[in-house]
Amino acid sequence: MSAQQMLKVYVTRRIPQEGMKLLQKAGICNLSVWDSDEPVPRAELLKGVAGAHGLLCLLSDKIDAEVLDAAGPNLKVISTLSVGFDHLAIDEIKKRGGWSTWKPLWLCSYGLSGSTVGVIGLGRIGLAIARRLKPFGVKRLLYTGRQPKPQAQEVDGEYVPLDTLVRESDFVVVSCSLTPDTQGLCDKTFFSKMKKTSVFINTSRGAVVNQEDLFGALSSGQIAAAGLDVTTPEPLPTDHPLLSLKNCVVLPHIGSATYSTRGVMSELTANNLLAGLTGSEMPSELKL
């Protein structure tokens, strides 16, 4: 198609590259883009849409009679990108004093569908995590530990060496016990083997992770993000470097924080106490 025959398309915001590549590859579009995450100013919108055959906008853009008149008779189609509503992070809301507009890539991260998840420690908790992940469309579930686990068949788990798990996983989930062998397991060397797009999750014990090395991996972009339910110490001091990162979510060890789970924990503790008082075998004894 000659340059004269190309169809003008005005895009009112910076959108994910997948959509832009489709428009470019089609070979029929003369693209004009407001290349910003912020809304296009009204004057720029009216100027940019003039003579357009197509308009790709966001739901939050005000497309009214004035815009249609500015576009003129060539306008054939308006396509809208939206996920539902305008939103903004709480800290940004406070900073700006109000709500702002939705942005196509705001708060985006990596999804589980089609991904490879690596579980370090496929014990009772690790297996429970794997069961919950399967319905999200995980493509491969890798695990490592002292030996293969027969119960891994239930979740189609693949037993692999630690290095393989770390290198190939999009999400690395640590659910192993804290032992002399696992203390400091996740260190600078460990993180250097992970994909730059991978996410690290620790629900085991804080001491399994070298937190200085984790901070270095996150702040340098060596890995994409981390989610921690456990730390050393607990809670972290409010000025700890990990708490300053936008790509690290730290929870105060709340993996068991449901009414039903805490109720079961209370019953277990009471039954242990009663058994000990009566000289019976404790049902959940910790044997050292």
Side-chain angles (χ1 to χ4, degrees):
M1 182 177 286
S2 68
Q4 290 77 15
Q5 295 173 308
M6 298 285 276
L7 303 177
K8 178 180 177 180
V9 174
Y10 186 68
V11 184
T12 67
R13 201 77 59 88
R14 184 183 296 151
I15 69 169
Q17 283 301 303
E18 290 83 350
M20 291 300 296
K21 287 177 180 177
L22 277 177
L23 296 176
Q24 293 163 349
K25 188 177 179 180
I28 62 172
C29 300
N30 179 13
L31 294 172
S32 177
V33 182
W34 177 253
D35 193 21
S36 171
D37 289 327
E38 300 302 324
V40 56
R42 185 69 174 182
E44 291 293 333
L45 172 60
L46 295 175
K47 182 172 69 174
V49 79
H53 297 84
L55 174 63
L56 195 160
C57 60
L58 271 62
L59 187 63
S60 52
D61 292 325
K62 185 179 179 181
I63 308 300
D64 54 11
E66 184 181 23
V67 174
L68 298 180
D69 288 342
N74 288 336
L75 189 63
K76 296 180 178 181
V77 60
I78 299 174
S79 184
T80 304
L81 173 63
S82 175
V83 294
F85 58 89
D86 291 355
H87 54 280
L88 196 68
I90 295 301
D91 59 343
E92 290 189 53
I93 294 170
K94 292 177 179 177
K95 181 173 67 177
R96 299 186 184 193
W99 295 95
S100 182
T101 187
W102 178 76
K103 302 174 181 66
L105 293 177
W106 185 74
L107 284 183
C108 282
S109 189
Y110 301 95
L112 287 165
S113 179
S115 69
T116 296
V117 175
V119 179
I120 299 177
L122 198 72
R124 180 173 54 86
I125 293 175
L127 185 61
I129 292 171
R131 288 193 189 111
R132 287 161 173 77
L133 290 176
K134 292 296 286 183
F136 288 93
V138 172
K139 185 176 181 180
R140 296 177 68 203
L141 195 139
L142 312 180
Y143 75 98
T144 191
R146 288 189 294 271
Q147 58 189 13
K149 299 290 183 71
Q151 61 267 34
Q153 296 180 5
E154 177 188 339
V155 291
D156 298 321
E158 302 175 38
Y159 182 69
V160 297
L162 178 62
D163 272 9
T164 300
L165 183 148
V166 173
R167 292 183 191 280
E168 297 185 7
S169 295
D170 300 301
F171 297 85
V172 175
V173 182
V174 183
S175 57
C176 58
S177 301
L178 176 61
T179 68
D181 289 335
T182 61
Q183 184 161 2
L185 173 71
C186 305
D187 57 10
K188 185 174 182 179
T189 301
F190 178 100
F191 295 122
S192 70
K193 297 174 184 176
M194 290 177 63
K195 299 178 182 179
K196 290 186 180 297
T197 55
S198 58
V199 178
F200 176 80
I201 299 167
N202 186 20
T203 62
S204 59
R205 290 292 182 266
V208 173
V209 179
N210 181 313
Q211 291 177 170
E212 290 184 4
D213 291 347
L214 175 59
F215 175 80
L218 289 166
S219 58
S220 68
Q222 176 62 51
I223 65 173
L228 309 176
D229 188 46
V230 288
T231 57
T232 303
E234 292 181 358
L236 284 179
T238 56
D239 60 350
H240 194 281
L242 284 172
L243 298 178
S244 69
L245 298 173
K246 291 185 177 182
N247 58 344
C248 184
V249 176
V250 181
L251 299 179
H253 207 153
I254 59 172
S256 65
T258 66
Y259 291 117
S260 59
T261 301
R262 294 287 168 84
V264 170
M265 292 165 65
S266 176
E267 290 177 351
L268 183 151
T269 306
N271 284 328
N272 270 350
L273 177 65
L274 292 173
L277 291 174
T278 58
S280 303
E281 183 178 351
M282 288 189 288
S284 301
E285 181 180 356
L286 178 61
K287 298 180 179 181
L288 302 175

